[in-house]
Amino acid sequence: MTVREPREVPTAAEELRYPAGALVMVSGLPGAGKSTLLARLFPLVGDETRPVAVGDVRVIDSVQARNWWRRYLGGLPPRLLIPLGIVMHVWRIARALFAGKSVVAHTRGTWALMSYGLAWLARRLGTELHQIMLDVDPHTARAGQFSRGRVLTARTFARHCRRWRALVDRVGRTGELPPAASVVVLDRAAADLLKGIRFDE
């Protein structure tokens, strides 16, 4: 496991711990296994239409927003549902932060505007954004897309791969990934050993 964390370096099998009220973004290529990881660590089954409450933690997977919109606008083409899902996903994260909840949220991680915007909001609310990067090779991520039935075009996926590799390389060089207060990079094996994501009281 590759880990870059400014305060404490956990081992692969340990829990990752964060301050109460923080925003933890689980990022990775489309198909990398972000939703699978969240479902293993939290009580998610994949058909939710709203964030899942686990005590004072809100677990927000982007599929929840897509499921909500599909229930009402399922006849629309996917390319029209995607932006609606993104807007709702970000709004739900912001709403949970405003409510003072600890948040674990799903993100591709390659949208800098989203990262900087949510980090700015977290700072305004007196907390921080942290990143957990699930780093798998593009072939594994592509297979994950086919297995879930949501496949990006080759051109779009290649763009995500270029941006993702630049982010991972930056962490490898500097140990940091602004605007995140901390970053942890997990390969698939390390992610499978992760016991939990916890927030301090």
Side-chain angles (χ1 to χ4, degrees), residues 5 7-8 10 14-20 24 130 132 182 194 196-201:
E5 218 282 337
R7 292 188 297 268
E8 180 181 354
E14 286 182 325
E15 296 177 342
L16 294 174
R17 304 194 69 90
Y18 298 95
V24 177
H130 301 264
I132 300 173
S182 74
L194 183 64
I197 300 170
R198 303 283 185 259
F199 293 86
D200 298 328
E201 297 296 330

Side-chain angles (χ1 to χ4, degrees), residues 12 29 32 40 73 75 92-93 119 130 134 189 193 198:
L29 288 172
R40 183 171 64 79
L73 301 174
R92 285 174 165 180
I93 294 171
H130 301 264
L134 183 55
L193 291 174
R198 303 283 185 259

Side-chain angles (χ1 to χ4, degrees), residues 68 96 101 136 183:
W68 192 92
K101 304 300 182 182
V136 305
V183 57

